[in-house]
Amino acid sequence: MSIQNLNTFDPFAEGNEEDVQDGLVHIRIQQRNGRKTLTTVQGLSSNYDLKKIVRTCKKEFACNGTVIEHPEYGEVLQLQGDQRENICQFLTKMGLVKQEQLKVHGF
Amino acid sequence: MAEEDAIFDPTLVKKKKKKKTTFDLDAALADESSNPVTTTTSSAVENEESTENAGNEIDHDFDLENLGKKKKKKVKKPLNMDELETALQEANEETSAAIDIEGEDGMDDTFDLEKMKKKKKKKADINELLDQENENVDVNNTDQWHGSDRDYTYDELLNRIFEIILEKNPDMAAGRKPKFVMRPPQVLRVGTKKTSFANFTEICKTLHRQQKHLLDFLLAELGTSGSVDGNSQLIIKGRFQPKQIENVLRRYIKEYVTCHTCRSPETILQKDTRLFFLQCESCGSRCSVASIKSGFQAVTGKRSAIRAKNA
């Protein structure tokens, strides 16, 4: 057994990128003009290639979408239309996010 | 967690319910058979029961795990079915007029009701028999183990404790706690692009929450902007249906009003070192609640306008 005190473990080190905001993935909806809406997905782990995810999402849900770099929240998926249900199912089915990590906001 | 519960609840309760009825029948039959012969044969009866109800044991395990939650409903059903049903129906009528606060509870109730009805329809004739037998069991239960030193079965003990509880607390007998009922939100369209939430202040008062807190939550969840106007109504930018606002309100109440431990709505929200704490008045628990964050907001509207503002 090694002496614990001599180990160089920094308890104040920044956690992994994974547990940004407790690992929760926030799915939000925003209203635009008319009956148009936007769906944003915030908090996906940066280990994943969000561009690839958005590419498949676009095909799957037949909508447009993009990845937005945000200084505070990191990379955020943005999809056109109300894709909350779709994206929840997609993310859990692909095993990217667990069901309990998803947090759906909005009405 | 809570969602899971909500999902799993119905099937769980259903299963129990079904098995319960069969079990009760068996138990009642067993009791009937055992009573004339006196309780000396009780060990044999127990053996029978244990073999017959091998499946039930799993249920018991389950009961033990979430005793705190399910106990009440479970035992009440066999005890005063009719009372409960009438109460439920009344409650249902009420809830159709107003929102019921405890989302999960409401779900449960509706499920219960359906089940009850189904059961009633299916076993209309058997039910009477069952009720009689249930009564028999109840009557027998209290003095069943007088003068015998056999082990008590779990159900006997459970019935006993709840009979005692009901005896000592008569107010609990009438449909659990007084249900937390509140007025539905009045949501009107103002013009084409704005929505007015007319009884916003009133709802804040009934929930005992500061307007600002609820306002922050609503705006963060809906991802829009808004403000309280002179007539103490909330004006939100965007088109919203009453149903949608109701959903958000329900979520607010679940997170910030009802106690996370005992689900009672008598709570105080305190701010302590930049964190909000929910202090329960009835059970005394105190827990921190999530802070309100609006998170990432995508750019809607004209970019040129934003640029003009920044410049």
Side-chain angles (χ1 to χ4, degrees):
Chain A
M1 206 181 126
S2 63
I3 301 164
Q4 278 199 332
N5 287 348
L6 298 182
N7 284 350
T8 50
F9 169 71
D10 183 9
F12 299 105
E14 293 289 315
N16 283 341
E17 290 296 301
E18 279 175 53
D19 46 33
V20 175
Q21 309 240 324
D22 310 319
L24 274 181
V25 174
H26 298 271
I27 293 167
R28 295 197 175 79
I29 189 164
Q30 265 180 280
Q31 285 194 337
R32 291 182 55 229
N33 38 1
R35 32 181 289 144
K36 294 175 185 169
T37 47
L38 266 182
T39 309
T40 59
V41 182
Q42 175 202 321
L44 278 175
S45 164
S46 57
N47 297 344
Y48 302 129
D49 188 347
L50 292 214
K51 287 202 179 115
K52 278 189 182 166
I53 294 175
V54 99
R55 211 173 293 153
T56 20
C57 283
K58 281 160 76 167
K59 281 197 183 150
E60 196 101 331
F61 315 146
C63 67
N64 207 352
T66 153
V67 180
I68 290 181
E69 274 287 345
H70 194 274
E72 190 181 343
Y73 305 114
E75 289 184 317
V76 180
L77 284 191
Q78 186 176 311
L79 297 165
Q80 287 181 3
D82 183 358
Q83 312 291 352
R84 286 176 297 169
E85 300 255 303
N86 291 334
I87 194 81
C88 283
Q89 276 173 3
F90 177 82
L91 289 176
T92 45
K93 206 175 76 191
M94 294 294 155
L96 297 175
V97 176
K98 285 186 213 104
Q99 183 77 50
E100 55 267 23
Q101 279 179 296
L102 287 173
K103 192 157 186 355
V104 183
H105 298 266
F107 33 83
Chain B
M1 266 294 288
E3 277 171 36
E4 262 178 51
D5 276 351
I7 295 162
F8 283 120
D9 230 341
T11 53
L12 225 173
V13 181
K14 230 175 222 169
K15 245 188 226 167
K16 254 186 235 162
K17 197 66 205 184
K18 271 175 200 162
K19 275 180 185 165
K20 259 282 124 99
T21 50
T22 54
F23 175 74
D24 273 349
L25 236 176
D26 289 344
L29 287 179
D31 286 335
E32 275 171 13
S33 61
S34 66
N35 276 339
V37 197
T38 71
T39 45
T40 47
T41 57
S42 55
S43 62
V45 172
E46 262 176 28
N47 276 344
E48 261 182 39
E49 276 179 8
S50 63
T51 49
E52 278 173 0
N53 307 314
N56 267 347
E57 278 178 15
I58 306 160
D59 275 359
H60 291 322
D61 287 351
F62 244 108
D63 289 346
L64 281 173
E65 273 171 28
N66 37 22
L67 206 60
K69 272 189 195 170
K70 306 280 151 63
K71 234 171 11 177
K72 280 178 207 158
K73 291 170 202 164
K74 216 195 82 192
V75 179
K76 260 185 194 169
K77 268 174 218 157
L79 273 183
N80 43 10
M81 286 248 291
D82 293 334
E83 248 186 67
L84 211 126
E85 202 180 29
T86 49
L88 273 175
Q89 270 166 352
E90 282 169 13
N92 211 31
E93 281 165 17
E94 276 176 21
T95 47
S96 63
I99 344 163
D100 62 315
I101 289 316
E102 301 165 41
E104 288 159 47
D105 265 10
M107 288 272 288
D108 280 359
D109 282 350
T110 51
F111 274 117
D112 284 352
L113 238 173
E114 276 171 33
K115 262 179 275 147
M116 295 271 211
K117 272 179 187 165
K118 262 185 214 163
K119 224 190 106 196
K120 271 273 151 88
K121 275 171 202 161
K122 271 185 201 165
K123 308 181 176 180
D125 44 348
I126 308 172
N127 228 4
E128 287 174 18
L129 257 174
L130 256 177
D131 280 348
Q132 283 173 10
E133 270 158 355
N134 271 341
E135 276 166 30
N136 278 345
V137 173
D138 287 343
V139 171
N140 288 340
N141 259 341
T142 47
D143 49 8
Q144 213 168 32
W145 48 67
H146 269 307
S148 76
D149 48 355
R150 70 186 179 88
D151 284 338
Y152 317 130
T153 63
Y154 179 75
D155 280 68
E156 282 168 359
L157 290 175
L158 206 60
N159 279 340
R160 194 175 126 86
I161 184 87
F162 274 96
E163 269 164 33
I164 293 168
I165 289 176
L166 284 182
E167 236 170 70
K168 298 268 163 78
N169 309 299
D171 52 326
M172 267 177 71
R176 263 176 277 158
K177 300 159 224 157
K179 222 173 183 170
F180 188 48
V181 182
M182 56 176 277
R183 306 272 305 279
Q186 290 167 358
V187 176
L188 315 159
R189 181 82 63 76
V190 181
T192 49
K193 286 191 173 170
K194 284 181 193 162
T195 311
S196 139
F197 184 171
N199 55 356
F200 173 68
T201 345
E202 191 187 325
I203 281 179
C204 281
K205 265 180 200 144
T206 51
L207 297 178
H208 305 293
R209 289 290 171 271
Q210 284 180 4
Q211 281 192 24
K212 190 177 169 296
H213 192 253
L214 182 54
L215 176 77
D216 282 347
F217 182 82
L218 278 176
L219 295 184
E221 279 295 292
L222 298 172
T224 54
S225 52
S227 58
V228 183
D229 79 349
N231 307 331
S232 75
Q233 60 178 4
L234 175 63
I235 306 286
I236 320 168
K237 204 176 151 209
R239 299 175 188 183
F240 297 101
Q241 305 298 317
K243 191 95 199 244
Q244 298 171 327
I245 301 286
E246 199 181 302
N247 266 337
V248 180
L249 259 181
R250 220 181 269 272
R251 230 179 300 153
Y252 177 82
I253 287 158
K254 200 179 157 201
E255 176 70 33
Y256 296 104
V257 180
T258 52
C259 170
H260 292 213
T261 316
C262 68
R263 294 215 218 130
S264 120
E266 282 129 29
T267 53
I268 303 175
L269 196 66
Q270 297 167 317
K271 197 166 191 175
D272 201 357
T273 58
R274 282 189 275 177
L275 287 173
F276 276 109
F277 283 93
L278 198 65
Q279 174 108 37
C280 183
E281 294 278 84
S282 46
C283 76
S285 86
R286 178 183 162 87
C287 57
S288 65
V289 288
S291 58
I292 298 170
K293 282 188 211 123
S294 59
F296 172 76
Q297 290 297 317
V299 180
T300 54
K302 291 216 168 79
R303 281 169 202 268
S304 59
I306 300 166
R307 232 172 284 145
K309 207 192 275 173
N310 288 343

